[in-house]
Amino acid sequence: GLAMPDWAAARDLAQRAHAAFPEAGCLGWDMGLGAGGPVIIECNTNPFHTLYQIATGRGLMNGDLAPTIRRALGRDNG
C-alpha cells in the first residue's frame, strides 16, 4: 500500500524529457524525489534492462509492454 511521493509528476517529467529526444528509442531516467518535487539526475542511453526485469519477475516482451515496444521500433503489425 505504499506509494512514492510525486510519482505522477516524476513520470510526467521523464516523459516530457524523453520527448525532447525523439530519435532515441529507449532511455533510462534516474529521477530524484525531493522537497521541491521530482528532478532528473541523469539520462542513460543504454539502461540496464535486466534490472527491472529481475525486479518484476518477467521479461520485457510481455503482453503489457510488447505492443508499446513494437510501436516504438516501428514494427506494429496490428
Side-chain angles (χ1 to χ4, degrees):
L2 297 176
M4 297 293 292
D6 295 325
W7 181 256
R11 184 182 60 225
D12 179 64
L13 177 59
Q15 289 173 337
R16 287 185 290 120
H18 188 68
F21 303 94
E23 71 284 354
C26 184
L27 299 172
W29 299 95
D30 292 351
M31 307 294 289
L33 300 174
V39 295
I40 294 174
I41 297 172
E42 72 173 340
C43 176
N44 299 291
T45 58
N46 188 14
F48 185 52
H49 302 293
T50 305
L51 185 61
Y52 49 81
Q53 293 180 71
I54 291 170
T56 61
R58 63 184 190 161
L60 193 59
M61 289 301 279
N62 60 65
D64 297 325
L65 295 177
T68 301
I69 294 168
R70 288 189 179 106
R71 273 194 310 277
L73 293 173
R75 298 182 194 158
D76 188 1
N77 296 325

